[in-house]
Amino acid sequence: MPDLKQSRPKGTQDFVPPDSERRRRVEGAFRSLAECYGYREIITPTFEHTAVFVKSSGEASDVVTKEMYSFKDRAGRDLALRAEGTPGVVRAVVENRLRMPCRLYYVGPYFRYSRPQKGRYREFNQVGVEALGEASPLTDAEVISFGNAFFESLGIGDCTTQVNSIGCRECRPAHRAVLREFLLERKEQLCADCQVRIERNPLRVFDCKVETCRQAVQDAPTPRQYLCPACQSHLGQVLVGLDRRGLRYAMNDRLVRGLDYYNRTTFEYISASLGAQDSLGGGGRYDYLVEEFGGPDTPGIGLAIGLERTMLAMPEETQPARRKLVFVVWLSEAELVAAEKLAVLLRAGGIPARIDYDARKVKGQFRSADAAQAAGCVVIGPDELARGVYSLKDMVTGEQQEVPADTIADAIRARFKD
Ligand code: HAM
């Protein structure tokens, strides 16, 4: 039994170097790509009034009923750590009266109380985009292909894109009624949760992972069979947009997604390499959500991608690259002053530099450089100082070369390229 004081809470993770750096690189790739598509960053609080999630993610959704970290603050307010990004973004868009159309992206931590396993954590990170005020099905196609472009940029090749449409306010009631009838006839086969879902939100049964429920809905009427002409046409144009981009996708009639705000297009990215938690990301259209938050009638569509799952699906980096960091190694107090000056000079020129002030011996300083994964060491001895040269050591190959003092920065740049 580990000492609880020394272990992190269940379902949380530490990102230590170099994983922290790898994560920042993935986040950086996402930011650049999102900005390329005209999205701008939005940063919202990590906790919101609980009602924000209840009325958007849905009071019958798993995220709200089972997974939400909700609490009362000292003044008795009902608050919850955010379990997903869309509700807070829409709340902020309405509260700050952002001008439409408006494209936003976000990167940050989210919290869900679920059983931890590979790819599923209680604190995890998402990157996401929301396009508000865009009704065209071509936006749907662009948002879907944005996700694919992101995975592709990271070398993730085994990702399947699933697409569906769950209809709108016009066509959903008819589907809901036949689905309810269908499920009532098979009530005994359903788990306790799904029996409740029949009345509260029968569509949720499609999401259930329990085997008997999965079998029960095998031949259930699907939302796509009940789409109104406008929703059919919308879906058709989304698919044309995807085809035009040469994007491969699979229709999945059961893809209803676990959140209540969706209408029409839903989609998910599935990776074969992830095991049970195989969804890399997903999203959909939510044309009623802004209005539900008290804003004007505004369409919206977005997606969110799990950062940890993305990192699990990424190919291993071949040779973990040494950082472009140099240690300035000194022999005695006399050279320490010169070492300090050189470190200042190198940093000013954009070269990360460190000095080991504690290790008295050169060997110890080299050891520190190695522990820090430094690419090289610049050695300053009395002899070198007198002759106006430094000795530059490559920490990977062990090679050492003498470099005139005034060209040391260039020599480092040439040898340790990014
Ligand atoms: P979601 O499908 O609930 O959608 O989450 C998106 C992604 O977050 C998942 O596909 C998965 O990669 C990751 N994820 C979810 N839960 C966990 C967990 N416990 N541990 C690790 N990763 C997890 C949404 O959140 C919607 N807000 C997406 C959206 C944006 N729809 C419209 N706009």
Side-chain angles (χ1 to χ4, degrees):
M1 208 26 208
D3 180 353
L4 283 180
K5 272 188 250 145
Q6 290 176 14
S7 61
R8 56 183 184 266
K10 201 172 164 185
T12 64
Q13 303 171 89
D14 298 314
F15 285 85
V16 299
D19 281 348
S20 49
E21 288 146 2
R22 190 164 172 252
R23 178 174 140 190
R24 291 297 182 218
R25 277 200 296 279
V26 177
E27 290 174 359
F30 175 81
R31 285 173 190 280
S32 312
L33 192 68
E35 281 166 19
C36 229
Y37 281 67
Y39 293 93
R40 297 174 74 185
E41 184 166 15
I42 182 165
I43 302 169
T44 63
T46 37
F47 60 89
E48 299 270 355
H49 292 289
T50 305
V52 166
F53 302 108
V54 174
K55 76 174 174 189
S56 56
S57 313
E59 57 184 338
S61 65
D62 277 2
V63 160
V64 166
T65 55
K66 297 182 183 164
E67 299 177 353
M68 197 158 61
Y69 278 93
S70 48
F71 57 97
K72 278 195 191 297
D73 74 3
R74 287 170 195 271
R77 296 179 193 92
D78 284 312
L79 300 170
L81 297 184
R82 60 186 187 186
E84 53 138 342
T86 314
V89 169
V90 172
R91 194 255 326 127
V93 163
V94 173
E95 192 166 340
N96 294 281
R97 294 198 184 86
L98 297 192
R99 277 183 60 192
M100 293 296 139
C102 157
R103 288 191 162 198
L104 300 165
Y105 77 82
Y106 46 89
V107 173
Y110 294 84
F111 307 87
R112 293 185 193 179
Y113 190 84
S114 48
R115 199 171 47 80
Q117 62 184 93
K118 183 186 166 199
R120 187 163 72 188
Y121 312 96
R122 291 184 173 168
E123 183 185 24
F124 60 100
N125 293 275
Q126 277 187 351
V127 293
V129 298
E130 310 292 351
L132 289 132
E134 297 187 39
S136 168
L138 297 182
T139 296
D140 305 30
E142 196 192 278
V143 169
I144 296 171
S145 65
F146 168 84
N148 288 97
F150 176 60
F151 297 129
E152 217 166 90
S153 75
L154 300 173
I156 298 175
D158 70 338
C159 167
T160 316
T161 307
Q162 298 189 346
V163 182
N164 193 22
S165 172
I166 57 167
C168 67
R169 279 177 180 158
E170 298 299 317
C171 48
R172 271 217 297 242
H175 173 251
R176 189 188 163 110
V178 287
L179 180 61
R180 182 176 162 274
E181 284 304 316
F182 179 93
L183 294 172
L184 277 175
E185 282 166 23
R186 290 157 183 80
K187 195 168 178 183
E188 273 66 62
Q189 278 170 260
L190 302 178
C191 70
D193 280 350
C194 283
Q195 294 192 358
V196 177
R197 287 173 182 141
I198 297 179
E199 298 303 337
R200 289 184 79 178
N201 190 346
L203 211 56
R204 283 281 82 78
V205 178
F206 281 115
D207 260 346
C208 188
K209 302 280 182 284
V210 176
E211 194 45 42
T212 49
C213 297
R214 289 168 84 119
Q215 278 169 13
V217 295
Q218 201 95 78
D219 308 311
T222 66
R224 203 143 66 88
Q225 294 167 325
Y226 285 81
L227 294 184
C228 63
C231 285
Q232 269 174 23
S233 152
H234 188 96
L235 176 62
Q237 290 175 70
V238 174
L239 302 184
V240 167
L242 294 178
D243 290 337
R244 223 167 27 223
R245 292 178 155 78
L247 200 136
R248 282 217 309 269
Y249 56 86
M251 295 304 296
N252 177 356
D253 283 331
R254 282 171 185 71
L255 182 66
V256 295
R257 311 252 316 128
L259 304 160
D260 274 4
Y261 46 70
Y262 292 119
N263 69 302
R264 290 193 168 162
T265 315
T266 53
F267 56 94
E268 218 159 282
Y269 308 98
I270 307 292
S271 163
S273 64
L274 285 181
Q277 301 304 312
D278 60 358
S279 165
L280 278 174
R285 189 161 266 290
Y286 48 86
D287 294 333
Y288 314 125
L289 196 54
V290 174
E291 219 179 347
E292 273 160 26
F293 273 98
D297 179 9
T298 309
I301 177 162
L303 62 75
I305 292 167
L307 210 65
E308 288 80 1
R309 292 187 195 175
T310 301
M311 288 174 67
L312 284 171
M314 273 166 64
E316 292 284 318
E317 275 164 52
T318 33
Q319 182 71 35
R322 285 243 166 182
R323 302 159 64 207
K324 198 177 91 184
L325 166 75
V326 292
F327 265 62
V328 185
V329 173
W330 48 284
L331 294 190
S332 69
E333 294 291 333
E335 293 86 41
L336 183 53
V337 179
E340 279 177 335
K341 276 196 190 135
L342 179 58
V344 170
L345 191 100
L346 293 177
R347 289 174 194 140
I351 298 170
R354 271 183 65 181
I355 298 172
D356 183 339
Y357 298 103
D358 296 308
R360 301 266 125 198
K361 298 209 171 92
V362 170
K363 213 168 161 192
Q365 295 181 47
F366 278 137
R367 244 198 317 270
S368 299
D370 199 42
Q373 296 270 287
C377 287
V378 181
V379 185
I380 312 182
D383 169 50
E384 281 100 341
L385 214 51
R387 287 194 292 124
V389 294
Y390 297 126
S391 168
L392 179 59
K393 180 175 175 177
D394 186 316
M395 293 296 286
V396 178
T397 62
E399 278 172 75
Q400 209 150 328
Q401 69 185 108
E402 222 165 59
V403 180
D406 53 356
T407 62
I408 185 69
D410 287 338
I412 291 169
R413 280 192 207 99
R415 183 147 200 128
F416 310 116
K417 295 198 186 76
D418 283 322

